[in-house]
Amino acid sequence: MRERGRLGDFLHARRSQLHPSDVGLKDYGDRRRVSGLRREEIALLAGVSASYYTRLEQGHSTGASPEILDAVASALRLDGAERTHLHDLADAGRRRTPSRRPRPEHVGAATLDLLHSLDGVPALVTGRRADVLAWNGLGHALFASHVDPAGPRRTSERPNLARMLFLDPHTRELYVDWRVKAAAMVENLRMVAGRHPDDALLSALIGELAVKSPEFAAMWSGHGVRPCHLARHEMRHPLVGTLSVTHQSLGLPESEDQHVVLAVAEPGSPSQAALTLLAQATVANRVVDDGADLRAGRA
């Protein structure tokens, strides 16, 4: 990924999505030859020269101060997440560090204890690149029952939620409104990519998805950024049918890039009953598997 592309494309995308009336400017109708606002108009709103803003959008001005970036963010009507992303992109352009292969992510013992204490709640731990680092039995049963439950323990074979969401038919079918879930995943990945532009594995994942999934490529080109902290999703599970759950992503203190993701149903609802049924089936399957392992050990 080009540094000029990260910053310049983001600014251009946000500028093209603004209408003059959004910022109190006169609309010239058919005489307007660009989509959205002109560079000169953003520069005027931000209180900088047109030539300076042009250099910034073209990636030729990497020394923009936080104050100027905030002024540009205000001119573009960026929200909090988008403003943070803008600063991350500018910082990345100043550092220009080479891509490197990061060390494998690991989950702390306390987090594993927490995960497995949540018997009645589907839960998993995700890493920087949406890899599943660990899950409890119900989390595996709800999100990826067709995947080897031991997968997260093998660092080279960990399930990746983004890859599964776009490339795995089972996971696509799991979400009734797949496009909403997919868009949220893309927007969160773009935020992470802004914070970690030197992560070679993250760049490889994004490149893979852009090549293999036209839907991912189209969503990625929109330059949306938003963290996935809280969202309600309707899921259609092959074993217990349709249920509505709230996905909550809780950051872990030991790593800003790791989160515990919970799927919580409304108390007393049919969805909670479906989760209870799924939990019972998960326990039954575990007993059967343990019995098979025991018999195999005695053979």
Side-chain angles (χ1 to χ4, degrees):
M1 299 180 185
R2 298 165 297 125
E3 296 299 343
R4 175 253 178 264
R6 288 193 177 102
L7 178 59
D9 290 349
F10 178 68
L11 291 173
H12 180 268
R14 283 294 169 267
R15 177 167 62 85
S16 67
Q17 292 170 11
L18 278 178
H19 192 272
S21 61
D22 295 334
V23 294
L25 296 178
K26 185 176 181 180
D27 184 2
Y28 292 94
D30 293 339
R31 288 180 290 174
R32 178 169 288 271
R33 298 189 299 175
V34 298
S35 174
L37 297 182
R38 301 182 180 92
R39 287 173 176 168
E40 294 82 2
E41 291 167 332
I42 293 297
L44 176 65
L45 292 169
V48 298
S49 69
S51 60
Y52 182 88
Y53 177 78
T54 298
R55 291 197 304 273
L56 184 64
E57 193 171 294
Q58 292 177 342
H60 300 316
S61 180
T62 59
S65 67
E67 292 76 18
I68 288 179
L69 292 174
D70 282 335
V72 170
S74 296
L76 292 170
R77 301 300 192 265
L78 302 187
D79 62 21
E82 293 165 339
R83 186 180 294 260
T84 298
H85 185 63
L86 176 62
H87 282 270
D88 287 339
L89 294 178
D91 288 342
R94 283 190 284 267
R95 294 195 306 266
R96 298 189 182 278
T97 55
S99 295
R100 60 178 181 271
R101 189 178 184 87
R103 291 178 294 181
E105 296 180 273
H106 296 285
V107 180
T111 299
L112 289 175
D113 291 341
L114 169 65
L115 190 66
H116 295 296
S117 70
L118 300 169
D119 289 334
V121 179
L124 51 82
V125 179
T126 60
R128 175 189 298 179
R129 294 167 290 276
D131 290 329
V132 178
L133 307 183
W135 47 25
N136 62 10
L138 193 51
H140 168 257
L142 177 64
F143 290 105
S145 59
H146 62 303
V147 172
D148 182 358
R153 300 178 205 156
R154 301 186 289 270
T155 56
S156 62
E157 301 175 27
R158 282 172 170 164
N160 180 274
L161 295 181
R163 187 179 288 113
M164 292 168 62
L165 194 59
F166 282 93
L167 305 181
D168 176 45
H170 175 96
T171 306
R172 289 179 67 108
E173 183 64 20
L174 193 60
Y175 292 93
V176 173
D177 196 338
W178 175 85
R179 294 197 67 84
V180 170
K181 177 63 176 178
M185 176 65 73
V186 171
E187 291 171 348
N188 189 71
L189 270 182
R190 189 171 273 286
M191 281 201 71
V192 176
R195 287 199 306 269
H196 302 285
D198 57 343
D199 188 324
L201 292 178
L202 178 58
S203 296
L205 172 66
I206 293 168
E208 175 194 352
L209 294 176
V211 169
K212 294 182 178 179
S213 171
E215 292 157 312
F216 178 89
M219 292 180 184
W220 187 258
S221 68
H223 290 269
V225 289
R226 196 170 306 280
C228 298
H229 292 324
L230 186 68
R232 189 167 185 81
H233 295 287
E234 190 171 1
M235 305 176 74
R236 57 168 84 86
H237 194 274
L239 184 61
V240 297
T242 302
L243 65 161
S244 295
V245 293
T246 298
H247 292 187
Q248 298 186 48
S249 180
L250 308 177
L252 293 174
E254 59 263 35
S255 172
E256 66 169 344
D257 295 318
Q258 292 185 9
H259 294 79
V260 174
V261 180
L262 309 173
V264 181
E266 183 180 347
S269 67
S271 295
Q272 187 183 50
L275 285 181
T276 300
L277 179 61
L278 184 59
Q280 292 169 350
T282 300
V283 171
N285 288 338
R286 187 181 306 135
V287 170
V288 171
D289 290 343
D290 289 347
D293 290 342
L294 181 60
R295 289 191 297 273
R298 290 174 177 174

